[in-house]
């Protein structure tokens, strides 16, 4: 099965929160259709409506001298970590975060974010979920700690092992985020059922028990190669380390 184009790959990760009304334009059906489409022109326009993700794609592309923010290397780097995102220096990231978020947060929150950015952060989705989102996103005042943790865990890109496949539903085993001794950690794997993209080859083009997949808001987004799995786990843990140093 050939790899997905950048826009199609973006739609597979962006659709799950978009269908819940959490981010992006009000056109979830187009994003879902694009997840299995060969023609990705419509996604290019929709992607610009993701005010959280698209500026990161532009930053990664610009710093990596890649003309297309939806180049598959840029898209994969943002969602999974590593790759071109590793080339974005702290000054460039700090300028971007300052421009986008400083006016939206209180001074103590900005001091926390400033520390996190200077502590080695990179413009990947895990950074936004673990470091930006709690301070400048939707999870503000009034939410119980447990609800905030559940939201962060649903929003971060997780990794999972497929146990069984039933149509477009997958039973998987995936680790969950937890708070222990005042620090965020990756906890023990738990069994859960998620939805998956379905095309002519079945769920995710024919995913099978034992395969590793990425998860976002209750959806299996893509099958992970060994290299991609190593990147996702390593960069998620690195983002957790930075977030914990700033707590």
């Amino acid at each position: 099965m050939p790899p997905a184009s950048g826009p199609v790959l973006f739609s597979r990760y962006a659709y799950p929160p978009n269908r819940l009304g959490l981010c992006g334009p009000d056109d979830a059906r187009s994003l879902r259709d694009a997840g299995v489409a060969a023609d990705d022109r419509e996604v290019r326009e929709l992607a610009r409506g993701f005010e959280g993700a698209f500026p990161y794609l532009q930053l990664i592309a610009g710093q990596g001298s890649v003309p297309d923010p939806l180049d598959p290397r840029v898209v994969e780097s943002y969602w999974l970590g590593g790759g071109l995102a590793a080339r974005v220096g702290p000054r460039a990231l700090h300028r971007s975060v300052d421009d986008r978020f400083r006016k939206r947060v209180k001074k103590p929150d900005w001091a926390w974010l400033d520390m996190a950015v200077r502590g080695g952060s990179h413009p990947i989705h895990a950074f936004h979920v673990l470091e930006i989102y709690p301070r400048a996103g939707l999870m503000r005042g009034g939410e119980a700690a447990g609800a905030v943790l559940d939201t962060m865990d649903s929003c971060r890109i997780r990794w999972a092992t497929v146990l069984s496949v039933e149509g477009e539903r997958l039973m998987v085993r995936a680790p969950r985020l937890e708070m222990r001794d005042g620090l965020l950690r990756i906890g023990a794997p738990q069994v859960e059922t998620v939805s998956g993209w379905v095309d002519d080859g079945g769920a995710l083009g024919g995913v099978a028990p034992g395969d590793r997949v990425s998860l976002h808001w209750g959806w299996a987004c893509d099958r992970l190669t060994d290299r991609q799995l190593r990147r996702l786990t390593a960069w998620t843990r690195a983002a957790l380390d930075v977030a914990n140093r700033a707590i």
Side-chain angles (χ1 to χ4, degrees), residues 112-164:
W112 188 94
L113 286 176
D114 189 57
M115 184 184 301
V117 172
R118 296 178 188 278
S121 300
H122 291 85
I124 63 175
H125 187 66
F127 162 70
H128 189 76
V129 172
L130 299 171
E131 301 168 44
I132 295 291
Y133 203 26
R135 301 286 170 166
L138 300 176
M139 298 182 299
R140 299 192 56 81
E143 279 195 281
V148 170
L149 191 64
D150 287 344
T151 302
M152 292 172 69
D153 199 37
S154 295
C155 191
R156 75 180 178 93
I157 307 303
R158 298 188 290 140
W159 55 93
T161 301
V162 177
L163 300 178
S164 64

Side-chain angles (χ1 to χ4, degrees), residues 198-217:
V198 177
D199 57 22
D200 292 340
L204 293 180
V207 72
D211 286 345
R212 304 295 183 89
V213 296
S214 53
L215 307 180
H216 195 201
W217 284 104

Side-chain angles (χ1 to χ4, degrees), residues 7-26:
V8 169
L9 186 62
F10 177 81
S11 71
R12 289 191 168 196
Y13 283 94
Y15 169 74
N18 181 253
R19 73 186 179 90
L20 299 174
L22 298 177
C23 59
D26 297 330

Side-chain angles (χ1 to χ4, degrees), residues 15-185:
Y15 169 74
N18 181 253
R19 73 186 179 90
L20 299 174
L22 298 177
C23 59
D26 297 330
D27 202 351
R29 180 167 182 170
S30 293
L31 280 172
R32 181 172 184 177
D33 292 345
V36 294
D39 186 349
D40 52 42
R41 288 173 294 181
E42 187 172 8
V43 180
R44 290 187 172 277
E45 186 63 33
L46 291 172
R48 295 182 176 277
F50 284 81
E51 61 177 15
F54 198 72
Y56 289 120
L57 299 178
Q58 292 176 307
L59 177 61
I60 294 169
Q63 292 293 300
S65 299
V66 177
D68 182 9
L70 289 174
D71 183 291
R73 296 169 297 168
V74 175
V75 175
E76 181 180 296
S77 184
Y78 171 66
W79 293 116
L80 303 185
L84 291 172
R87 301 185 188 181
V88 181
R91 289 185 178 179
L93 178 58
H94 192 276
R95 286 196 300 269
S96 176
V97 171
D98 190 296
D99 290 344
R100 295 176 62 193
F101 301 111
R102 188 164 189 169
K103 293 181 180 179
R104 295 174 55 179
V105 300
K106 298 178 181 179
K107 287 186 178 180
D109 289 331
W110 173 252
W112 188 94
L113 286 176
D114 189 57
M115 184 184 301
V117 172
R118 296 178 188 278
S121 300
H122 291 85
I124 63 175
H125 187 66
F127 162 70
H128 189 76
V129 172
L130 299 171
E131 301 168 44
I132 295 291
Y133 203 26
R135 301 286 170 166
L138 300 176
M139 298 182 299
R140 299 192 56 81
E143 279 195 281
V148 170
L149 191 64
D150 287 344
T151 302
M152 292 172 69
D153 199 37
S154 295
C155 191
R156 75 180 178 93
I157 307 303
R158 298 188 290 140
W159 55 93
T161 301
V162 177
L163 300 178
S164 64
V165 182
E166 296 184 9
E168 63 181 40
R169 302 288 286 174
L170 312 177
M171 182 175 290
V172 301
R173 181 182 290 111
R176 302 303 302 253
L177 193 65
E178 64 181 21
M179 181 74 77
R180 186 186 302 173
D181 299 326
L183 298 175
L184 293 166
R185 301 181 185 276

